[in-house]
Amino acid sequence: MGRAPCCDKVGLKKGPWTPEEDQKLLAYIEENGHGSWRALPAKAGLQRCGKSCRLRWTNYLRPDIKRGKFTVQEEQTIIQLHALLGNRWSAIATHLPKRTDNEIKNYWNTHLKKRLAKMGIDPVSHKPKNTTLLSIDGQSKSVANLSHMAQWESARLEAEARLVKQSRLQCTSQNTKQVGSLDQPSTVSDKLFPPVSGAPTSCLDILKALNRVWSSKAGNGNGSGDLESSPTSTLSTTGGVVESSTNLFEFVSGKSSRSCDDGTTGEECDEEWEFKAKDHMVNSTPRFNGINMSSIDNNNNNNEHISRGNFLENFTDLLLSNSGTSNHRNVQADGESNIGLAPSGDNNSYYEENNKNYWNNILNLVNSSLQDPPLF
DNA sequence: AAACTCCACAACCGCGATCCA
DNA sequence: CTGGATCGCGGTTGTGGAGTT
């Protein structure tokens, strides 16, 4: 048997939407909201199934969708989040305002995946394709540990994405009146689905609140027994260093601004992706989304134990694709990475500090994508 | 200019999760 | 608690346009 199709009625139209259908759907939702998607097509006079209407609305007609080419910043964010979250497109989409999960997914499959593969990076694992050598070197255990840690971080970030999503929904309803006074026309759709442009900043409160929690905990040294410490404390027993593929290349913002003045991305900007061997990165300046991360670096460099390298920090680096000194801490002068070294010292304060940085970096990530003017 | 191939993206499909009576 | 209805997500496919021969 199997599941019944969502549209059991024969004669329902499929395939590309016509402008007339779009207009009908848009007009109906602006007037009445979508309500039950199943009932919508009949009410709106459309020969479509509700699911098709919902997809058309969420992926194309929604007023808060930004269309057009992805910026280098957006590409960077997608790769970083994909390294953490894998194919969890909806979670990734929560960090890319005005982009739909479907759009991100398509862009990944058609552009980014190929580009990473071209650079010798496995787009699934985000590792260089020759990582099997690590196993030969007897480091497979560390790699396995890192994989386990990655799952923790991934789960945490995914949960965070959900919170952001919920928060955004709340803020959307709270800000309805304010948004209506923006430069956008005050249509019913604005009231029902206001543009996200203004909302996310205020909706970052949840991230900021979490960040404050970590800051305060790092300050008073009391960070035990909380939700977040569980995964990280698990990590503490088997420190290791991931040689994230994202550590192996960087986006050089300065170069981007020169070659992408017209805002072009994608193939036109392939040359912006500088592939750099690790041992060539020692003197590079850490940059992310135009933010100089040296303050964070300096902070970390004050902690001797961090220089031993540990997974969480590298994962933060991974998230940020911060190809600066943080990566180099894990690379000895002879190019060997010190995989397998556990952090020493006070583990609690150590991980609190890293979590503080972690949330700072997340905030930077989200804030910069929302507030910074385009770099090119 | 026609035929063919490639590519990007919109749309569909099926499954799991959630909601609700 | 249960089961149907609905929603959301991720994988996949189909279509149309651009590029090539």
Side-chain angles (χ1 to χ4, degrees), chain A residues 102-120:
Chain A
N102 200 44
E103 197 177 9
I104 294 168
K105 176 176 61 180
N106 283 333
Y107 192 71
W108 171 265
N109 286 328
T110 55
H111 293 94
L112 300 180
K113 197 162 80 175
K114 291 174 186 174
R115 226 180 289 173
L116 287 181
K118 221 176 191 176
M119 295 162 66

Side-chain angles (χ1 to χ4, degrees), chain A residues 17 70 125 148 179 206 247 270 272 283 289 310 324 351 368:
Chain A
W17 281 65
F70 282 72
S125 64
H148 177 66
V179 173
I206 192 160
N247 290 348
D270 278 354
E272 295 156 14
N283 295 317
N289 287 354
N310 78 75
Y351 287 112
S368 60

Side-chain angles (χ1 to χ4, degrees), chain A residues 226-283:
Chain A
D226 59 82
L227 180 66
E228 297 291 339
S229 64
S230 177
T232 51
S233 61
T234 304
L235 307 182
S236 68
T237 57
T238 51
V241 174
V242 61
E243 285 302 329
S244 158
S245 63
T246 52
N247 290 348
L248 299 177
F249 64 90
E250 73 173 316
F251 300 82
V252 182
S253 57
K255 187 175 180 181
S256 300
S257 60
R258 284 195 301 274
S259 54
C260 274
D261 284 340
D262 59 353
T264 56
T265 59
E267 296 300 323
E268 300 99 318
C269 284
D270 278 354
E271 65 273 19
E272 295 156 14
W273 290 43
E274 265 188 32
F275 184 81
K276 299 196 173 188
K278 285 190 308 176
D279 52 353
H280 293 160
M281 295 161 66
V282 175
N283 295 317

